Amino acid sequence: MRAKVLRLAAAIIAVTITSPFTSPPSAMAQAQPPVTLKVAIVQQIDSLNPFIAVFQSSTEVGRLMYDYLTAYAQADQKVVEGVAKTWEPSPGKLTWTFTVPDGKKWSDGKPLTARDVAFTYNLMLTNEVARTANGSFVANFESVTATDDRTVVVKTKAPQITMTALDVPIVPQHVWESVTDIKNYANDQVPVVGSGPFVLTEYKAGEYIKLKANRSYWRGAAKYDELHFVYFKNADAAVQALAKGEVDLVNRMAPAQFDSLADKENVTRNKAQGRRFNELLINPGAQTRTGTPIGDGNPALRDVRVRRAIARAIDLDALVKRVNAGYAEVGTGIIPPVFPKYHWEPSAAERRTFDAAAAKAELDAAGYPPKDGVRLSLRLLGRAGRAYDEQASEYLKQSLADIGIKIDVQLVSDDQLNQTTTAATYDLAFSGWGTNVDPDFILGLHTCGQRPGADGTGGTTDSYFCDAEYDRLYAQQLSEFDEAKRVEIVKAMQARFYDQVPSVVLCYENALEAYRSDRFSRFPVQPQTGGVIMAQNGVWGYYGAEPAAQSASSGSGRSWLGIAAGGVVVLVAAGGWFVARRRRATAEERE
Amino acid sequence: MSVVWDRRRTAWAAGWRAFAAQRSGVAGLALLGLAVLVAVLMPLLTGADALNVARVVAPAWEPPGSGHLLGTDHTGRSVALLVLNGTAVSLLVGLTAAGLSVAIGTLIGVTAGHFGGWWGALLMRVTDFFLVIPALVLAIALSSVLPRGMGTIILAIALTSWPSTARVVRAQTLAVEARPFVERARALGGGHLHVTGKHVLPAVLPLVLVNTTLTVAYAIVAESTLAFLGLGDPTRLSWGSMLHQAQLQGAVSKEAWWFLLPPGLGIIAVVLAFTLVGRALETVINPRLRG
């Protein structure tokens, strides 16, 4: 009761304060408040430009704004209608004809046609910067032409398996044909014209992203009005906001946070198999596409024996048990077990079991004997404020110290980490990628062609890996239309990657999500069993969310701990203030 | 010369007696002694593997009582051991930053007071400039621009906390230089270095000492704040970094009060100790404050 009175008082004060600047309260009361799904996010957005954006958060927002040529079904991730409804390969699989049905519209009312599709792909073919984020999909394209408004014909140089899995946002030609400088085009002129289920209407870097449901979306409009992404500085704050009912959906929680929500009222948890992997990059001697060395990675790491020794010194089981609190699966290949068809497990002979003694022997053989107990000194880069990096770095520091490798842990901001890994000025670094239904994209990240160009830009190589054998297999799988054979090649590639260790796949974290069941009754997960709500291969989780029957919720679940923690902070602050006061007082007295 | 030093020695002894007469100051000093003892001895007493995340076997997030006095953190390390071992960095950063800050402040204060004129005015305007910049904001900016590490934190704190010392020291310098013995020293041919080094500095030293103790308290709070915000050296154990870890790993959601409260209490204890000692010292050098 008291809380209600207080809240009422606060509301009155708020209205009193703001009323001179807003419309009269009576007008506001008449309008039905929009039903809004508020999603807490912690990762920053690197760009809203779909040709540049590589962060998971950015591609997720991109998917909401722009449809791809095809989509993946919610239940089983099979390829279904996207911009194109039907598609037909020629007998030799070199020419693909996609049909865009009539009636699809951009959010500004202009028709969405095959010409937009052709424009997008041709832009990527002709402009290197436009290939930054999704270049691997079009690398093998010969030509793309729209023969009429409904038909687009893609010719490829060699048969390409991913023709129905082109994860490229299709952009409107009438907006983008006037963009001359793609690299610096922020794409934040709201409302941003798109074709997806939501339209970007407001964006403030580091604060929020607001989208409105696209009423003319061809699949039908979403069942609620607005979708807001709200930034939180850390996951704890996001979890607290969920517990209090300030946000409706949270993901990427730490195990302790997930556990703490176990018996919270009105909160439903979802533990899903993640489609991401965490990895430890080992700089294998970074070079540009033209073969010029870049960065300042430790030259010792160019020796595959050293990389293998490092991989062998890491106890992955212990990492999963202690750092992930068991909410993860031990890493092997670069395709997570959520895609069982392509996921690769090493055979007993291939598997590198944790063995510090063997690792030391390998380092001895490679010519790095210990000098005063130290064989090598390496930098380990991670993201400050990311629980996994902060904790796992301590384990790795210990594990590698045990084999005589001294680690200097450097935890930096998101942007700094991105810059450092792009410039290859690291020895070891934490990284991770989300994988798609079709493995082509994630496999392509490790090919020679994905390394940056001569000017240091372009390409999204993950690890600066460049291996002739791997590239040969990559080209082979791209044109292998017999699925069983392709699976074999994909697994062979992962085995090669595992053997050459440009990075150690540490684990596949479970996706730990939770939502307010009093606000939204159901979120479609993908795939149907053990699937995720956020970070899907699609937008079903957001698009298909069903608002709960309206009930005035008052979830003020502030725990006594929060009060205690607040108390400590206040005490410390008061102490500091007191000290400051004292000093000022004496200073004044003396002068 | 020795007459002067004898007189000074007597003055210091009298000062100590006046200090010892104040119970709160002595209590603060005792608390400080204990903290220093813990800081020096704990790293020697703690077993090599007790704080090694890769070696501990205890379950994570264990509440106090069950085998661990203050429970365990997110990796299964004993919170009690963490707090005791965190003392060293918190004290070290606090003392070094305060020392550096007071050194800068004293240098600028004495120079400004001694030379006066446009040079002194210029120095004081620089001081005022630093005085009006919000210290925490500047410290955050500095520690995010400079490479991460303990040195950066020390520098950031020192660069933001020296102006008040400079002002106080300048005022005292002016007061001292107005006295006849300084004039006499000048008349006898004492140069700038002689006057400031042999006459002004000893006279402002007690004041500087008081200022140092109070600045340490500020520096410790500042270090904890920066570390809590994730701007500290994440690889070094301090009370601030413990709070940062607790917050990052979800201690608040987990309601693991035993991970949050002890480092907070540690900060309060040490800050309180320095404040008590500082106030007692102030009373010693400023008889007007004696009740």
Side-chain angles (χ1 to χ4, degrees):
Chain A
M1 195 58 216
R2 238 189 81 202
K4 260 188 191 157
V5 173
L6 274 178
R7 213 170 301 143
L8 186 68
I12 290 170
I13 292 168
V15 167
T16 324
I17 292 169
T18 54
S19 55
F21 308 106
T22 56
S23 50
S26 59
M28 282 164 73
Q30 281 167 2
Q32 188 80 9
V35 181
T36 306
L37 171 60
K38 289 195 196 113
V39 184
I41 53 167
V42 179
Q43 199 190 17
Q44 291 160 16
I45 297 273
D46 57 344
S47 171
L48 285 169
N49 182 335
F51 295 109
I52 308 283
V54 289
F55 282 10
Q56 198 275 330
S57 48
S58 319
T59 48
E60 185 129 333
V61 174
R63 274 177 191 271
L64 291 162
M65 293 158 61
Y66 300 105
D67 265 355
Y68 297 174
L69 193 60
T70 54
Y72 306 98
Q74 174 240 323
D76 55 6
Q77 319 214 25
K78 286 235 164 66
V79 175
V80 295
E81 176 178 3
V83 169
K85 185 165 188 178
T86 55
W87 42 89
E88 192 60 50
S90 67
K93 312 266 188 198
L94 280 170
T95 306
W96 287 70
T97 309
F98 294 88
T99 311
V100 181
D102 284 331
K104 284 186 183 164
K105 281 192 172 70
W106 293 106
S107 55
D108 61 357
K110 296 222 168 72
L112 164 51
T113 69
R115 296 190 196 281
D116 293 304
V117 179
F119 169 78
T120 304
Y121 291 147
N122 279 319
L123 185 64
M124 292 172 70
L125 286 174
T126 52
N127 188 326
E128 186 174 5
V129 178
R131 287 200 294 273
T132 306
N134 304 306
S136 72
F137 293 109
V138 299
N140 186 34
F141 281 17
E142 173 94 42
S143 70
V144 184
T145 39
T147 49
D148 58 48
D149 277 359
R150 298 188 52 195
T151 318
V152 61
V153 179
V154 181
K155 287 205 170 87
T156 58
K157 294 174 197 155
Q160 181 172 338
I161 189 75
T162 57
M163 289 306 293
T164 56
L166 301 169
D167 290 345
V168 177
I170 302 296
V171 299
Q173 180 175 9
H174 61 276
V175 175
W176 283 81
E177 63 191 349
S178 57
V179 177
T180 48
D181 183 8
I182 292 189
K183 195 173 182 177
N184 295 315
Y185 185 66
N187 194 30
D188 56 0
Q189 293 290 318
V190 294
V192 178
V193 177
S195 60
F198 291 89
V199 180
L200 183 81
T201 51
E202 221 181 321
Y203 169 63
K204 203 156 185 197
E207 284 184 38
Y208 55 78
I209 304 161
K210 292 185 177 174
L211 302 107
K212 279 205 169 84
N214 181 356
R215 292 287 157 213
S216 59
Y217 186 52
W218 61 272
R219 248 185 255 273
K223 295 190 184 88
Y224 56 99
D225 307 307
E226 292 187 22
L227 171 59
H228 295 180
F229 289 91
V230 187
Y231 277 103
F232 283 84
K233 285 282 173 218
N234 61 65
D236 232 349
V239 171
Q240 290 298 304
L242 181 84
K244 280 192 232 150
E246 288 165 10
V247 294
D248 307 319
L249 180 61
V250 173
N251 79 340
R252 291 200 191 187
M253 275 184 276
Q257 291 155 346
F258 189 69
D259 284 343
S260 73
L261 291 173
D263 33 45
K264 273 265 176 348
E265 222 184 316
N266 294 329
V267 170
T268 304
R269 301 187 304 161
N270 181 38
K271 176 193 155 194
Q273 264 193 323
R275 60 185 189 89
R276 296 183 60 79
F277 61 85
N278 282 342
E279 63 178 344
L280 176 72
L281 299 178
I282 307 177
N283 191 336
Q287 295 182 337
T288 61
R289 234 173 286 163
T290 48
T292 322
I294 54 167
D296 60 356
N298 193 312
L301 299 176
R302 287 176 205 159
D303 188 339
V304 70
R305 289 172 296 181
V306 175
R307 300 203 297 269
R308 284 191 193 129
I310 290 172
R312 198 179 271 285
I314 303 170
D315 186 353
L316 297 179
D317 293 297
L319 266 181
V320 165
K321 192 163 148 269
R322 305 292 296 203
V323 180
N324 301 101
Y327 286 115
E329 291 160 83
V330 172
T332 52
I334 46 179
I335 296 170
V338 72
F339 304 115
K341 197 162 51 180
Y342 294 110
H343 174 65
W344 172 80
E345 285 285 329
S347 67
E350 289 168 317
R351 188 178 287 276
R352 265 190 304 265
T353 44
F354 164 63
D355 187 343
K360 279 190 220 166
E362 279 184 68
L363 286 176
D364 284 335
Y368 296 96
K371 281 184 208 127
D372 303 325
V374 179
R375 297 163 191 270
L376 280 173
S377 286
L378 301 176
R379 297 158 296 175
L380 168 58
L381 255 98
R383 199 188 122 197
R386 185 169 180 252
Y388 186 85
D389 292 8
E390 292 216 356
Q391 208 179 337
S393 61
E394 287 189 61
Y395 279 86
L396 293 183
K397 189 177 174 181
Q398 279 310 323
S399 306
L400 294 175
D402 289 346
I403 63 162
I405 296 180
K406 198 163 159 268
I407 296 292
D408 171 26
V409 179
Q410 300 174 356
L411 299 178
V412 297
S413 73
D414 245 356
D415 291 340
Q416 266 174 296
L417 184 62
N418 212 22
Q419 273 169 26
T420 314
T421 45
T422 308
T425 47
Y426 66 93
D427 298 322
L428 306 174
F430 286 107
S431 181
W433 283 87
T435 49
N436 305 339
V437 183
D438 191 283
D440 178 66
F441 177 78
I442 199 71
L443 294 173
L445 282 180
H446 306 281
T447 55
C448 300
Q450 281 295 334
R451 293 174 303 163
D455 60 344
T457 60
T460 51
T461 181
D462 175 39
S463 54
Y464 286 96
F465 188 46
C466 181
D467 181 63
E469 169 72 5
Y470 182 91
D471 275 18
R472 189 182 62 77
L473 289 167
Y474 177 76
Q476 206 181 331
Q477 64 84 30
L478 201 54
S479 52
E480 181 56 69
F481 284 81
D482 182 297
E483 194 174 41
K485 279 190 194 151
R486 181 170 182 230
V487 166
E488 280 315 304
I489 302 170
V490 168
K491 287 190 174 173
M493 291 177 75
Q494 294 181 72
R496 179 73 186 164
F497 188 85
Y498 185 82
D499 180 62
Q500 293 294 310
V501 266
S503 87
V504 183
V505 179
L506 299 170
C507 67
Y508 316 105
E509 281 180 330
N510 289 142
L512 302 178
E513 309 175 314
Y515 61 89
R516 295 292 301 190
S517 42
D518 55 340
R519 301 251 310 126
F520 284 84
S521 58
R522 198 182 78 88
F523 287 90
V525 297
Q526 184 194 39
Q528 194 68 42
T529 48
V532 287
I533 299 171
M534 291 169 72
Q536 295 180 343
N537 279 306
V539 291
W540 305 104
Y542 303 110
Y543 171 64
E546 286 168 20
Q550 277 304 304
S551 63
S553 66
S554 61
S556 178
R558 182 188 289 269
S559 62
W560 64 272
L561 176 89
I563 298 168
V568 171
V569 171
V570 168
L571 271 176
V572 170
W577 177 81
F578 178 72
V579 169
R581 275 301 297 200
R582 280 300 309 161
R583 298 168 77 236
R584 201 176 318 142
T586 53
E588 274 162 13
E589 266 169 33
R590 285 213 186 77
E591 275 211 344
Chain B
M1 213 53 207
S2 72
V3 184
V4 176
W5 284 108
D6 271 347
R7 203 186 301 146
R8 275 182 188 151
R9 204 170 298 131
T10 326
W12 281 98
W16 166 248
R17 274 195 300 281
F19 179 85
Q22 298 174 73
R23 241 177 299 159
S24 64
V26 175
L29 197 64
L31 199 56
L32 267 188
L34 189 69
V36 171
L37 212 61
V38 165
V40 174
L41 290 183
M42 264 336 272
L44 304 174
L45 293 178
T46 314
D49 286 351
L51 293 178
N52 186 331
V53 285
R55 301 273 193 281
V56 288
V57 286
W61 302 113
E62 209 163 283
S66 49
H68 294 279
L69 188 61
L70 290 172
T72 60
D73 71 350
H74 59 288
T75 60
R77 291 178 293 181
S78 156
V79 173
L81 274 182
L82 286 173
V83 170
L84 292 177
N85 280 283
T87 316
V89 167
S90 293
L91 273 185
L92 188 65
V93 172
L95 286 170
T96 326
L100 191 57
S101 152
V102 169
I104 300 173
T106 308
L107 185 69
I108 301 229
V110 169
T111 319
H114 177 74
F115 290 103
W118 66 268
W119 176 235
L122 180 75
L123 279 180
M124 274 304 107
R125 294 300 79 74
V126 173
T127 309
D128 289 345
F129 172 74
F130 275 95
L131 207 56
V132 293
I133 294 182
L136 189 62
V137 177
L138 182 59
I140 288 174
L142 279 173
S143 45
S144 30
V145 171
L146 300 171
R148 263 157 214 262
M150 209 160 80
T152 301
I153 289 291
I154 291 172
L155 199 66
I157 296 173
L159 284 183
T160 52
S161 59
W162 63 266
S164 52
T165 309
R167 284 211 142 263
V168 174
V169 168
R170 173 181 165 268
Q172 184 75 356
T173 306
L174 289 177
V176 170
E177 295 216 346
R179 292 202 200 149
F181 77 89
V182 177
E183 206 179 338
R184 254 172 260 152
R186 272 211 194 96
L188 288 173
H192 293 307
L193 207 61
H194 175 84
V195 171
T196 50
K198 298 269 166 151
H199 298 290
V200 176
L201 205 57
V204 298
L205 218 51
L207 193 66
V208 168
L209 189 66
V210 173
N211 236 293
T212 313
T213 35
L214 293 171
T215 309
V216 173
Y218 163 81
I220 288 176
V221 172
E223 188 271 335
S224 307
T225 312
L226 292 175
F228 172 73
L229 294 173
L231 296 163
D233 184 350
T235 57
R236 252 176 235 274
L237 177 66
S238 78
W239 290 330
S241 72
M242 278 183 76
L243 287 172
H244 169 67
Q245 286 294 334
Q247 175 254 43
L248 186 66
Q249 304 291 346
V252 175
S253 307
K254 186 87 181 167
E255 311 202 344
W257 57 269
W258 60 88
F259 195 8
L260 285 163
L261 215 50
L265 291 176
I267 296 169
I268 290 177
V270 171
V271 168
L272 182 70
F274 273 108
T275 312
L276 287 178
V277 171
R279 291 192 62 186
L281 282 177
E282 220 170 22
T283 318
V284 171
I285 61 161
N286 186 352
R288 273 185 303 168
L289 290 175
R290 271 178 225 171

